[in-house]
């Protein structure tokens, strides 16, 4: 199945999009900052649902909002990650990326796009062999795991409870997916809504 197929499966699982309308043209500022075009399936999912927390753990942000701003979060992550010593990481991604030193927020490096409150960070990476986008996970302890799939497939498999945060990382939340629309001001209260009913295997 291609990215388009998994994108439609994600939409089917998550249900109605956020009631807040966003301006798709605002991705341009983030992409100019990064120097490359983000994958379309990631943008479509974020455009429809972000800023949101999925099943109480996974944060998906948007580049147009004042709070929970994706560009600001990426920039902060890039700065923090650049200050770390990556010479002895487990599952060193540099050979797979075809680079000699760790790069973040570049066309040839890793770009952080999603985080979980359990400590993991989800990165986008481009294949040096022209095979498309991949997902790399940093598990919060400096160990990387690579998944040869696009974002929509990764997200679908995550919501299905598969091991896509590293070995033995799966946890399936039964019932509809919980979507918590993140507060836009300090006085807002997070609103939780639910996707359509599903069976135990999605």
């Amino acid at each position: 199945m291609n990215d388009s197929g998994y994108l439609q499966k994600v939409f089917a699982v998550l249900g109605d999009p956020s009631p807040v309308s966003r301006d798709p043209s605002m991705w341009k500022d983030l992409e100019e900052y990064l120097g490359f075009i983000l994958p379309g399936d990631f943008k479509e999912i974020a455009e429809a649902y972000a800023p949101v927390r999925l099943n109480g753990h996974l944060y998906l942000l948007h580049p147009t909002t004042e709070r929970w701003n994706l560009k600001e979060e990426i920039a902060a992550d890039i700065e923090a990650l650049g200050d770390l010593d990556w010479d002895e990481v487990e599952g060193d991604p540099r050979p797979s990326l075809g680079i000699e030193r760790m790069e973040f927020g570049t066309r040839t490096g890793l770009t952080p796009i999603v985080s979980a409150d359990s400590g993991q960070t989800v990165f986008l990476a481009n294949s040096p062999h022209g095979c498309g986008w991949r997902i790399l996970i940093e598990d919060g302890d400096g160990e990387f795991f690579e998944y040869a799939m696009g974002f929509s497939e990764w997200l679908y498999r995550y919501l299905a409870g598969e091991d896509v945060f590293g070995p033995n990382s799966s946890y399936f939340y039964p019932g509809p997916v919980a979507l918590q629309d993140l507060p836009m001001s300090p006085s807002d209260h997070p609103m939780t809504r639910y996707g359509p009913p599903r069976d135990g295997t999605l």
Side-chain angles (χ1 to χ4, degrees), residues 156 159-162 171-176 197-202:
Y156 177 78
L159 295 172
E162 296 187 20
Y171 188 86
F172 178 71
Y173 293 84
R198 58 180 181 166
D199 60 29
T201 59
L202 283 185

Side-chain angles (χ1 to χ4, degrees), residues 148-198:
M149 60 185 71
F151 179 74
S152 54
E153 179 178 354
W154 179 88
L155 181 58
Y156 177 78
R157 293 183 182 279
Y158 167 79
L159 295 172
E162 296 187 20
D163 286 336
V164 289
F165 260 151
N168 304 313
S169 63
S170 64
Y171 188 86
F172 178 71
Y173 293 84
V177 175
L179 299 91
Q180 186 181 67
D181 294 317
L182 298 174
M184 292 294 99
S185 73
S187 62
D188 284 348
H189 297 286
M191 301 292 293
T192 300
R193 52 201 173 88
Y194 295 90
R198 58 180 181 166

Side-chain angles (χ1 to χ4, degrees), residues 58-175:
L58 196 72
Y59 285 82
L60 180 64
L61 307 186
H62 196 280
T64 68
T65 53
E66 184 174 348
R67 303 188 79 197
W68 313 103
N69 184 274
L70 180 61
K71 179 184 175 184
E72 292 178 3
E73 187 70 16
I74 288 176
D77 286 347
I78 290 172
E79 182 176 0
L81 291 164
D83 291 336
L84 300 178
D85 182 1
W86 296 98
D87 286 338
E88 297 183 1
V89 299
E90 296 290 333
D92 188 345
R94 287 175 288 187
S96 177
L97 296 171
I99 57 178
E100 294 184 0
R101 63 180 182 84
M102 292 292 281
E103 299 178 8
F104 297 98
T106 68
R107 183 184 299 275
T108 55
L110 299 175
T111 300
I113 55 164
V114 172
S115 63
D117 61 7
S118 47
Q120 300 95 338
T121 302
V122 181
F123 294 89
L124 283 173
N126 236 322
S127 169
H129 309 296
C131 300
W133 293 97
R134 294 166 294 160
I135 296 295
L136 279 87
I137 304 295
E138 193 275 309
D139 67 355
D141 294 318
E143 187 167 4
F144 281 87
F145 301 97
E146 181 175 342
Y147 297 91
M149 60 185 71
F151 179 74
S152 54
E153 179 178 354
W154 179 88
L155 181 58
Y156 177 78
R157 293 183 182 279
Y158 167 79
L159 295 172
E162 296 187 20
D163 286 336
V164 289
F165 260 151
N168 304 313
S169 63
S170 64
Y171 188 86
F172 178 71
Y173 293 84

